[in-house]
Amino acid sequence: MEFTNITTPNYRPEADPANGIIKVFRDMVHSYLNIVQRNAFPPDFLQNLQDLQDTSQNSSETVKKALTYEIGFLVALAFGVLFFVLMPLTGFCFCCCRCCGNCGGKMHQKQTKKMACKRRFIYIFLLCITLIMLAGNICMFYSNSKVSSGVKDGISSYNNTMENLKTYVNSVPKEVDLIIGQSDSVIQYANNSIIAIDSVLGGAIKSEIEAKANETLDLVVQTINVVNNTANLLVAINDSFNSLRAEQEIIQGNLSDVQTRINNTLNKCGTKCDSAKNSVDGLTFDVSYQIPDLSDPLNRMNDFLGSGIDSTLQKVRKAIDDIPETVKNDTRDAVQRVQDQLGKIKSTINDTKNAIPITSTVNSALNGLNSISTSVSNVIPQIQNYDYYRWIVGIILSCIILLIILCILFGLILGPLGLKGTEDPTKRNCASNSGGDFFMASVGFSFIFSWLLILIVAVLFVVGGNSYTLVCKPWANQQLFTYLDSQTIPQLNISHYIDTNVNISTLYSDCQRDDSLWSTLNFNQKIDLQKYLNITQYTDSVQNIIDNTNITIKNINFLTTDQKDQIMRVVSSGVDTLNFASFKSQLIRNITKIDLLSFADDLDKLANDSSLPENVTTELRTEASVLRRIDNHIKSNLIPAVETLDTTVQTLEATSENMPATLNKTLANIEEAQAYIDTQTVGVIKNATTAYVNKLVDLFQSYVDWAIFTLRTNFARCGPVAKAVNSAQTIACVYIVDSVNAFWFSLGWCTLFLIPSIILSVKLAKHYRRMKSSDVYETTSRQFLFPRVQGKA
């Protein structure tokens, strides 16, 4: 019997990591953080979270371990602190220095022969740094938007994940109902089989007995046909022989009459007809047909055929056809008792459902999911608002960097546009001077905002970096699950929520393989399915009830004793030894002593003699004609009758030759079949009953085996749980943490390049700003350069 397989519910799509930061950028950030944090997970200070909660014990030791573990972050933070402190201080000193006319603050540029080369080098170097900063700034805008899209996608993926978990949890009791419910079809099938026991069991018994009985019955029918055919042949031979004798007597009478008339005519003829007188005596039969007496064999055969054998065969066939009804009548009480046992089997199987701790677990899980959904749903609007504010802050920070970059780019564009190579520095045009001013503006903005930028970088670096190294990275390689399993905090122990001995890492790895919840939660240790689904006592009762039912098959007698005696009388009738030799010997002889046609021709010749009287010739011709008619009658009637009788005799001999052996064989087969029916019917009934019961028992056993296998291997495959964990990891780490890390990485990237951009911008601004005094070099025709001193205004 085929059982319905468990179908997987339709789940919503899980969070896709491809929706996060592009892989190249993410790998770059991860590589940097892996360099910063080279210590293995978990850190020593987090080896026991239970002890960590007690801040009064070994607090200094814990802090020392934490600082040792975070040494990479501390070194990076040290550089950040230096940047945070020195950049504003440097900017302040730089401003004061320039106000005093130093640090490039004096509007005078000493002219040298390498001035143009130096300007080009600074220009190209600053352009490269600016492009690098622009790339970082683009990454800032990109990662800032990715944080927002990550929040949006994360909320959507969270909703999908919660719906998937609810779908999964709700499918668990449905699958239990499906597995247990399959027993209804099994019990219904068994009940239908019990109700139809007459056609099922009775049909099996009938088929077994019928296979043996039909062979014998067919043989008896064949025997009856042989005896009947032989009897018909005997009758036909008698009838043919009687007809032949009657025909022979008629012809003999005709011959006698014509013989007398010919003698009279020949006497009238005198001596002229003496030649024909010798032939007249030959007008008689030269054969004498004789057959043996057939009355005794024929009477014996008719006695057998009239012994009511057809009625006996009909009774046998009816007794066989009535076997299903006999089984139905003999098993009425057994059927009711078996149906009672089926009800107990159904009750036992249904009790297994109550033994599986699924209802309470499902309700607890649904309550927990609903509680989480409600809590998160209340927080989602706040998260969206906070993300909006964060996005604005990110845009402002990105725009600050963009402002500095634009100032530098404007300086790089306007400076060369307005600069002429031989122009006096004091006479530089507005475009060139504006380019220098943009460079100085970028320097000013850099000093103003650098401390804020590095502060935000440091805060996000510590938070985001540790989120990756302490949570996301070990989460991705499953070290986090192993670490949580090692803790003794009850809230981290699955057995605190479900009465089973399983840890987080094992649960996750099993669910990653989409294993059955039964094997994942080790329900085999708590629930013995073999015990709860043990219906052997009921199937044994069913077997005993049916085995102990008395089914009796009666009235199967192929032949009565009298009919068997009649067959033996036919066997001893001697029909196979009938002697037709005398009859056959007459067949090769002429029917008359003379040839009637030749004699008729002789008479015609005598009639042609003109010397004979007219009345004699007329009589001779008339008698010749009569002879021809008699010959024609013999050929048309007597000879065919003889041939027909001969054919019938040959058929009879062929039929009767093996008839005694055939009848003896039939009797032997009847005796064998009767002995089989009398002695083996009980065994046939027992074997059929055993097969019938085994089929019922095997049906229940196959269901039990299928139910146990399905519960252990296919029931509530927990792949959706692993996918939910993966979605949570994707939302928290890929969508949020990686995006935040990408933002501070881009911001730090741009902030660090502010230092060379400041230095190069200050130096390059000198080459484009309008000076208040000039330092001129003249070139002679011999290419010797002599400086000429001019007065300074």
Side-chain angles (χ1 to χ4, degrees):
M1 184 175 182
E2 295 293 332
F3 299 105
T4 304
N5 293 324
I6 295 176
T7 56
T8 303
N10 293 324
Y11 293 105
R12 296 185 180 183
E14 58 182 305
D16 187 3
N19 293 334
I21 294 292
I22 58 175
K23 188 175 185 303
V24 174
F25 195 16
R26 184 168 67 243
D27 292 343
M28 187 187 303
V29 178
H30 290 175
S31 298
Y32 172 73
L33 290 174
N34 290 334
I35 293 173
V36 171
Q37 181 54 276
R38 305 181 67 87
N39 295 317
F41 180 87
D44 293 338
F45 69 94
L46 293 179
Q47 286 294 338
N48 195 324
L49 291 176
Q50 189 69 35
D51 294 341
L52 189 63
Q53 293 177 354
D54 188 2
T55 58
S56 61
Q57 296 180 358
N58 303 322
S59 57
S60 60
E61 184 68 22
T62 301
V63 172
K64 182 178 179 181
K65 290 180 180 180
L67 293 177
T68 302
Y69 182 79
E70 297 287 333
I71 187 65
F73 283 93
L74 293 177
V75 171
L77 280 177
F79 285 106
V81 171
L82 289 176
F83 191 97
F84 177 79
V85 174
L86 295 180
M87 279 298 288
L89 183 61
T90 302
F92 176 75
C93 295
F94 181 73
C95 291
C96 293
C97 183
R98 287 184 67 85
C99 289
C100 295
N102 298 316
C103 302
K106 185 180 293 187
M107 302 303 290
H108 172 77
Q109 185 180 24
K110 186 177 181 180
Q111 301 296 304
T112 64
K113 62 179 181 179
K114 298 181 179 180
M115 182 72 68
C117 181
K118 181 178 180 182
R119 183 181 65 248
R120 293 189 189 97
F121 173 77
I122 297 173
Y123 184 93
I124 293 173
F125 197 20
L126 181 58
L127 176 61
C128 292
I129 291 175
T130 304
L131 292 178
I132 293 174
M133 292 177 62
L134 179 60
N137 188 239
I138 293 173
C139 291
M140 286 180 63
F141 281 103
Y142 169 73
S143 56
N144 184 56
S145 65
K146 273 297 181 180
V147 175
S148 295
S149 63
V151 172
K152 180 180 177 181
D153 293 341
I155 293 173
S156 176
S157 297
Y158 161 78
N159 292 331
N160 289 342
T161 300
M162 293 303 293
E163 287 301 320
N164 289 342
L165 286 176
K166 291 178 181 179
T167 300
Y168 171 73
V169 172
N170 286 324
S171 70
V172 173
K174 294 179 181 178
E175 292 183 6
V176 174
D177 292 340
L178 174 66
I179 295 172
I180 300 301
Q182 289 292 299
S183 64
D184 293 340
S185 59
V186 175
I187 293 172
Q188 184 62 42
Y189 182 90
N191 188 56
N192 292 339
S193 181
I194 288 295
I195 294 174
I197 194 172
D198 53 338
S199 60
V200 180
L201 177 58
I205 297 172
K206 176 188 172 184
S207 299
E208 186 72 20
I209 294 177
E210 199 173 37
K212 185 68 176 178
N214 282 347
E215 180 181 349
T216 302
L217 291 173
D218 293 341
L219 189 59
V220 172
V221 171
Q222 293 175 6
T223 300
I224 293 173
N225 292 333
V226 170
V227 173
N228 187 57
N229 291 337
T230 303
N232 291 334
L233 288 173
L234 293 175
V235 172
I237 289 173
N238 270 330
D239 292 344
S240 297
F241 182 74
N242 292 332
S243 298
L244 178 64
R245 290 295 298 271
E247 194 69 34
Q248 185 178 2
E249 290 176 358
I250 293 172
I251 294 172
Q252 184 63 50
N254 292 333
L255 287 175
S256 297
D257 291 341
V258 76
Q259 184 183 31
T260 301
R261 291 195 300 270
I262 291 173
N263 282 328
N264 294 332
T265 302
L266 291 177
N267 290 331
K268 294 177 183 180
C269 181
T271 58
K272 292 182 179 180
C273 297
D274 289 341
S275 60
K277 289 181 179 180
N278 295 329
S279 298
V280 174
D281 295 334
L283 292 176
T284 60
F285 272 99
D286 194 33
V287 294
S288 178
Y289 296 112
Q290 298 293 330
I291 62 171
D293 184 14
L294 304 179
S295 59
D296 183 59
L298 182 59
N299 291 332
R300 294 189 182 192
M301 292 181 188
N302 288 332
D303 289 342
F304 169 69
L305 295 174
S307 63
I309 190 168
D310 290 336
S311 175
T312 302
L313 295 181
Q314 290 178 359
K315 290 179 181 179
V316 172
R317 294 189 185 278
K318 186 177 185 304
I320 295 174
D321 292 338
D322 288 344
I323 288 177
E325 187 65 24
T326 301
V327 172
K328 182 177 180 180
N329 295 331
D330 291 346
T331 57
R332 291 185 186 277
D333 180 62
V335 167
Q336 183 60 47
R337 292 164 62 194
V338 169
Q339 288 178 325
D340 294 340
Q341 295 300 317
L342 293 180
K344 294 179 181 179
I345 291 175
K346 182 176 182 179
S347 176
T348 300
I349 294 175
N350 288 334
D351 290 342
T352 305
K353 177 181 177 181
N354 300 327
I356 300 175
I358 206 64
T359 304
S360 59
T361 303
V362 167
N363 292 335
S364 177
L366 284 177
N367 291 335
L369 292 175
N370 291 330
S371 177
I372 294 173
S373 297
T374 302
S375 301
V376 174
S377 297
N378 295 333
V379 177
I380 284 177
Q382 301 177 20
I383 293 176
Q384 291 173 331
N385 290 333
Y386 291 152
D387 178 67
Y388 176 71
Y389 298 139
R390 180 217 55 77
W391 178 80
I392 293 176
V393 172
I395 290 295
I396 293 174
L397 295 175
S398 301
C399 289
I400 291 174
I401 297 295
L402 181 61
L403 176 62
I404 296 172
I405 293 173
L406 289 177
C407 288
I408 297 174
L409 290 176
F410 278 126
L412 292 172
I413 295 171
L414 295 177
L417 288 178
L419 181 66
K420 297 180 180 178
T422 59
E423 188 178 20
D424 189 347
T426 61
K427 297 179 180 180
R428 290 170 180 164
N429 61 22
C430 182
S432 177
N433 187 60
S434 297
D437 290 342
F438 273 115
F439 283 130
M440 295 311 297
S442 69
V443 173
F445 288 133
S446 298
F447 279 122
I448 292 172
F449 295 110
S450 60
W451 66 273
L452 176 63
L453 299 177
I454 199 65
L455 178 62
I456 294 174
V457 169
V459 173
L460 295 180
F461 168 68
V462 173
V463 176
N466 279 290
S467 296
Y468 169 74
T469 57
L470 292 177
V471 179
C472 294
K473 182 179 178 181
W475 193 346
N477 57 29
Q478 300 183 29
Q479 288 182 343
L480 181 63
F481 301 141
T482 305
Y483 166 71
L484 294 177
D485 289 337
S486 65
Q487 302 305 306
T488 58
I489 300 177
Q491 289 78 3
L492 299 177
N493 192 346
I494 296 179
S495 59
H496 181 72
Y497 307 98
I498 303 176
D499 186 15
T500 183
N501 184 21
V502 64
N503 52 42
I504 298 175
S505 57
T506 302
L507 176 63
Y508 177 77
S509 60
D510 288 350
C511 291
Q512 276 285 81
R513 295 192 300 269
D514 199 21
D515 287 349
S516 167
L517 190 65
W518 191 279
S519 60
T520 300
L521 297 180
N522 293 328
F523 278 166
N524 283 331
Q525 299 178 0
K526 182 179 180 182
I527 302 172
D528 186 1
L529 288 176
Q530 294 288 355
K531 175 182 177 183
Y532 282 100
L533 291 174
N534 184 11
I535 56 175
T536 306
Q537 55 178 328
Y538 305 113
T539 55
D540 289 346
S541 296
V542 170
Q543 186 169 5
N544 291 333
I545 291 171
I546 298 179
D547 285 344
N548 294 329
T549 300
N550 185 21
I551 300 175
T552 304
I553 309 298
K554 300 179 180 179
N555 299 326
I556 300 181
N557 293 308
F558 296 101
L559 292 177
T560 63
T561 303
D562 180 63
Q563 289 166 346
K564 295 177 184 178
D565 293 339
Q566 294 292 346
I567 291 178
M568 293 305 299
R569 292 185 69 242
V570 173
V571 171
S572 62
S573 65
V575 68
D576 58 322
T577 60
L578 292 174
N579 187 6
F580 292 94
S582 175
F583 172 75
K584 292 180 180 179
S585 65
Q586 300 297 317
L587 296 178
I588 62 177
R589 300 180 62 180
N590 293 327
I591 294 177
T592 58
K593 292 182 179 182
I594 63 172
D595 187 354
L596 297 181
L597 294 178
S598 297
F599 186 47
D601 292 338
D602 292 341
L603 293 178
D604 285 335
K605 290 178 180 179
L606 291 174
N608 293 330
D609 189 352
S610 59
S611 61
L612 294 175
E614 183 177 355
N615 62 332
V616 172
T617 58
T618 301
E619 290 177 0
L620 287 174
R621 287 189 179 94
T622 301
E623 288 153 1
S625 178
V626 171
L627 286 176
R628 288 188 178 94
R629 286 198 301 273
I630 292 173
D631 184 74
N632 183 57
H633 184 79
I634 290 172
K635 290 179 179 178
S636 61
N637 292 315
L638 184 63
I639 291 177
V642 171
E643 292 175 349
T644 300
L645 180 58
D646 181 51
T647 301
T648 306
V649 168
Q650 291 179 9
T651 304
L652 175 64
E653 288 179 335
T655 303
S656 63
E657 181 181 4
N658 298 320
M659 185 175 175
T662 302
L663 293 179
N664 287 327
K665 181 180 178 181
T666 300
L667 279 175
N669 287 336
I670 291 173
E671 293 295 338
E672 180 184 352
Q674 191 65 54
Y676 175 83
I677 295 297
D678 293 341
T679 60
Q680 300 299 322
T681 300
V682 175
V684 170
I685 295 173
K686 182 174 180 60
N687 292 336
T689 303
T690 301
Y692 175 75
V693 172
N694 288 341
K695 185 177 181 180
L696 290 180
V697 173
D698 291 343
L699 179 64
F700 284 108
Q701 189 58 47
S702 64
Y703 165 73
V704 170
D705 294 340
W706 173 83
I708 292 175
F709 175 80
T710 303
L711 283 171
R712 289 177 176 174
T713 59
N714 296 327
F715 164 66
R717 290 183 175 272
C718 61
V721 176
K723 291 181 180 180
V725 175
N726 294 337
S727 294
Q729 190 266 342
T730 300
I731 295 170
C733 295
V734 179
Y735 289 174
I736 306 301
V737 174
D738 284 348
S739 298
V740 170
N741 286 340
F743 181 78
W744 66 253
F745 185 82
S746 304
L747 179 58
W749 170 358
C750 295
T751 303
L752 290 179
F753 276 98
L754 289 179
I755 296 175
S757 71
I758 291 173
I759 297 173
L760 296 175
S761 295
V762 171
K763 288 186 173 293
L764 194 58
K766 196 82 169 183
H767 292 273
Y768 295 121
R769 295 183 71 189
R770 186 183 296 118
M771 300 290 103
K772 292 182 180 180
S773 61
S774 62
D775 184 14
V776 181
Y777 276 79
E778 293 183 354
T779 305
T780 65
S781 59
R782 296 183 180 180
Q783 299 299 314
F784 289 104
L785 301 178
F786 296 94
R788 183 177 61 185
V789 180
Q790 289 184 342
K792 297 180 180 179

